[in-house]
């Protein structure tokens, strides 16, 4: 049995929560901004995805199931085979103020079991620092993608002028 490691990172995105949620919800596009993720494929069940991670000469494969989805608020998942992993992403809308557009704080939490064969070879505090730094860089790339796509603009109201 391996050892579980957990990481949490946050960022603030200059876009309304609905737009941030829309980009995050396209799981198959995650390799665009999540560097270690090689591919994500949605299976016949929309809550079941197939993942491949390639990093530092290692390749891991697993299926993940969305265990909780509250639109524009949170998404939780856990693996159902392969690399043991679980996590959540939460979206916190920040109201517009003082001429600033609405923004969204995003918190990503990821836990995974370091495979038993690797556990004795890696110091968890060093590996943890590397993974946390990479997750933050990924979340910052996500922020940049959303902001470049929406330019910090609020979406027009449906049926509005």
């Amino acid at each position: 049995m391996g050892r579980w490691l957990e990481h949490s990172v946050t960022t603030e995105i200059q876009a309304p929560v609905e737009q941030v949620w829309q980009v995050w919800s396209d799981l198959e596009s995650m390799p665009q901004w999540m560097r270690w993720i090689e591919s994500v494929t949605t299976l016949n069940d929309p809550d079941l995805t197939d993942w491949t991670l390639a990093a530092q000469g290692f390749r891991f494969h697993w299926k993940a199931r969305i265990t909780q989805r509250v639109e524009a608020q949170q998404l939780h998942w856990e693996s159902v085979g392969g690399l043991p992993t679980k996590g959540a992403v939460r979206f916190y809308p920040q109201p517009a103020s003082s001429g600033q557009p609405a923004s969204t704080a995003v918190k990503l939490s990821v836990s995974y079991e370091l495979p038993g064969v690797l556990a004795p070879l890696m110091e968890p505090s060093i590996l943890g620092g590397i993974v946390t730094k990479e997750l933050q860089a990924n979340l910052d790339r996500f922020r940049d993608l959303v902001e470049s796509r929406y330019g910090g603009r609020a979406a027009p109201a449906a049926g509005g002028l």
Side-chain angles (χ1 to χ4, degrees):
M1 178 175 242
R3 181 175 181 175
W4 279 88
L5 299 178
E6 182 175 346
H7 311 278
S8 291
V9 294
T10 60
T11 195
E12 186 154 337
I13 301 174
Q14 298 303 310
V17 69
E18 296 80 11
Q19 293 171 342
V20 176
W21 172 264
Q22 179 182 10
V23 177
W24 188 281
S25 295
D26 181 8
L27 299 177
E28 291 186 354
S29 72
M30 280 193 174
Q32 292 178 19
W33 53 269
M34 201 165 255
R35 192 173 67 167
W36 291 351
I37 299 299
E38 186 174 87
S39 67
V40 180
T41 305
T42 302
L43 302 175
N44 290 338
D45 176 344
D47 285 341
L48 190 62
T49 47
D50 189 70
W51 294 71
T52 302
L53 177 145
Q56 310 296 319
F58 295 99
R59 176 178 247 105
F60 298 102
H61 185 79
W62 71 96
K63 288 183 176 47
R65 176 169 302 284
I66 294 172
T67 58
Q68 182 180 8
R69 181 192 324 249
V70 180
E71 188 155 337
Q73 292 181 29
Q74 58 187 312
L75 187 71
H76 297 248
W77 67 90
E78 65 184 20
S79 62
V80 292
L83 181 68
T85 181
K86 59 187 171 184
V89 60
R90 292 174 179 85
F91 304 86
Y92 302 97
Q94 308 296 310
S97 64
S98 303
Q100 295 296 317
S103 63
T104 304
V106 178
K107 180 178 182 182
L108 173 63
S109 299
V110 177
S111 300
Y112 57 93
E113 186 177 21
L114 190 60
V117 67
L118 295 179
L121 304 174
M122 298 183 156
E123 169 58 40
S125 63
I126 294 171
L127 177 63
I130 292 168
V131 172
T132 297
K133 184 176 177 182
E134 183 62 25
L135 286 173
Q136 185 66 58
N138 288 334
L139 198 56
D140 291 345
R141 278 191 291 278
F142 174 74
R143 177 200 61 215
D144 295 346
L145 173 70
V146 173
E147 289 180 354
S148 71
R149 193 174 284 183
Y150 295 105
R153 300 182 313 269
L161 297 175

